[in-house]
Amino acid sequence: MEPDSSTLPKNTLTDILFVLFLRLIAIACFWLGLQYWSMLVGYSLEGHARFDLLNLPWKVAGAGLAVVFPVAALGLWLTVSWGPVIWVLAAGGQALMYGLWPQIFGSNPLIVILHGCVAVLYCIFRILLWQEKRRRRQQVMVDLP
């Protein structure tokens, strides 16, 4: 006997926009990861920022972000729970680099502002999704013929 109704709820507009948002951030994270890799292997910046030519803080930050940003991109694209966690690590590291230690890494307030805006948008989406889930639980479901 087949069930009368589907047990899976339909995706709402907020769900669809949230997945689109996560995938756009995933593309940006992948791009940032590629930029760090191209810097470290000497492809960009005319080879002046190759790994062997960098000072210790840049070696640690560059190598770390070159790995963490693509991993965050994968997690965000797949919309798994660990994707935003890894993104927070990557974005937090980059925000610390350019916001807290500009004398070592240089100043880039745009990166700090953009990461902050993404974090605020993510929190807004999570609140909206939580409200929708709460509203769905409160609705009465009747499966009478």
Side-chain angles (χ1 to χ4, degrees), residues 37-105:
W37 276 110
S38 68
M39 177 190 80
L40 293 175
V41 298
Y43 184 73
S44 65
L45 303 175
E46 298 176 5
H48 295 298
R50 279 191 342 236
F51 185 79
D52 59 334
L53 300 176
L54 295 174
N55 59 9
L56 184 62
W58 265 107
K59 283 182 181 180
V60 172
L65 292 175
V67 172
V68 175
F69 269 123
V71 172
L74 177 65
L76 290 169
W77 187 267
L78 296 176
T79 65
V80 292
S81 60
W82 53 265
V85 175
I86 302 299
W87 175 83
V88 166
L89 293 174
Q94 203 174 32
L96 285 174
M97 281 173 54
Y98 295 121
L100 192 60
W101 299 300
Q103 66 277 12
I104 298 172
F105 299 103

